[in-house]
Amino acid sequence: MYENDALRRLVALAETGAFTKAAVRLSSTQPAVSRRITSSRNWSDLSARS
């Protein structure tokens, strides 16, 4: 579930081109969108090293 949410946020960011616009589309805040994307990126970096 966490991965789906992070992917949905990443797609919104790619489609809108801005964290703030992605947050509006997702009915969220810019810091929350940014934090979730950063968190998922850190998780994928750890997974790649295993």
Side-chain angles (χ1 to χ4, degrees), residues 11-49:
V11 168
L13 175 62
E15 289 177 347
T16 62
F19 281 96
T20 303
K21 289 179 182 178
V24 169
R25 177 186 283 188
L26 296 166
S27 300
S28 187
T29 63
Q30 181 273 323
V33 171
S34 178
R35 185 172 43 249
R36 183 59 61 101
I37 290 173
T38 301
S39 175
S40 65
R41 194 175 103 210
N42 291 341
W43 180 84
S44 68
D45 288 346
L46 291 174
S47 295
R49 292 180 190 169

